[in-house]
Amino acid sequence: TKEGKGVYHMSSLLNELEYSKSEDDQQDTAGETTLPSVAAATESTNSSEYEGAMITSDNSFVESHVKVMGLGFITNMAEYMVAADVLVSKAGPGTIAEAASLSLPVMLTSFLPGQEEGNVDYVVQGEFGTFVSDSDPQGISDVVASWLTDVQKLKHLSANAKKCGAPDAAAEIVEAIGESALRWKNINDSKHAKS
């Protein structure tokens, strides 16, 4: 929800997602259940927390009721990706494929030379994200903030991600393998039947 000119409440930047109530869920003073730490999922083990933060269009923070924390390694990344508006990540092929399948714009911040360089090109040429080096955190912040405060830009990036995504790829691969195996079995059976 926009909270005055150029100020966005960070919780409004998350898509609605049903969460099962757990012991970790907290109640605020109005009795509303807060989302369980959805705002930041990182691969680091940084446990520093940023409570009460709201980001403004000039990247300054003001008081809010949002809790942001580094999560370390997690096993439910799909839930976080579904809840996100933007993914900030290195250029891993699986992560990019998952993001595109979910129509999720991608901010790439690093890549392994050689094997992941083409992934950056794929995202940039597919127009569903960009690359800003992790050595430029302010640049990353500026671009992501500009996406999150421009609904049309976010919709454009999301639509392009959807075009590049293949949400049924795993099922299609299994089907192709099964069809190939069946063809070879039939060829093999017909050779043995003639003997």
Side-chain angles (χ1 to χ4, degrees):
T1 310
K2 194 163 181 177
E3 305 282 340
K5 186 176 182 189
V7 180
Y8 292 81
H9 195 279
M10 291 175 78
S11 65
S12 72
L13 302 176
L14 300 173
N15 291 331
E16 287 187 28
L17 181 65
E18 283 191 35
Y19 288 93
S20 59
K21 201 162 173 80
S22 70
E23 293 176 27
D24 294 335
D25 288 342
Q26 298 176 0
Q27 298 285 328
D28 69 13
T29 55
E32 297 176 7
T33 302
T34 58
L35 293 176
S37 305
V38 173
T42 66
E43 293 182 44
S44 71
T45 56
N46 178 5
S47 63
S48 62
E49 298 181 8
Y50 301 93
E51 290 191 53
M54 203 163 41
I55 191 168
T56 65
S57 59
D58 66 352
N59 291 329
S60 60
F61 289 93
V62 294
E63 186 80 22
S64 176
H65 300 287
V66 176
K67 184 177 185 178
V68 178
M69 63 177 17
L71 300 175
F73 181 80
I74 58 172
T75 58
N76 58 338
M77 181 54 82
E79 292 176 33
Y80 288 92
M81 288 178 82
V82 167
D85 288 320
V86 172
L87 175 70
V88 178
S89 177
K90 76 177 205 64
T95 303
I96 292 170
E98 288 178 70
S101 292
L102 294 170
S103 305
L104 188 59
V106 179
M107 163 56 73
L108 299 175
T109 61
S110 64
F111 58 89
L112 295 175
Q115 77 183 64
E116 291 180 346
E117 286 177 70
N119 301 341
V120 174
D121 294 337
Y122 180 73
V123 168
V124 172
Q125 291 170 4
E127 298 183 16
F128 67 99
T130 194
F131 175 85
V132 178
S133 174
D134 56 9
S135 65
D136 182 12
Q138 185 62 51
I140 295 167
S141 173
D142 290 346
V143 172
V144 171
S146 74
W147 292 353
L148 293 173
T149 57
D150 183 344
V151 175
Q152 292 307 313
K153 177 69 173 178
L154 206 55
K155 284 181 180 180
H156 175 74
L157 291 166
S158 183
N160 289 338
K162 185 175 186 172
K163 288 178 196 172
C164 292
D168 300 322
E172 291 168 2
I173 291 168
V174 169
E175 185 177 354
I177 292 170
E179 289 171 358
S180 179
L182 186 58
R183 276 194 308 275
W184 281 107
K185 180 186 180 306
N186 291 339
I187 291 169
N188 193 36
D189 287 349
S190 68
K191 286 183 180 180
H192 290 293
K194 292 179 185 178
S195 306

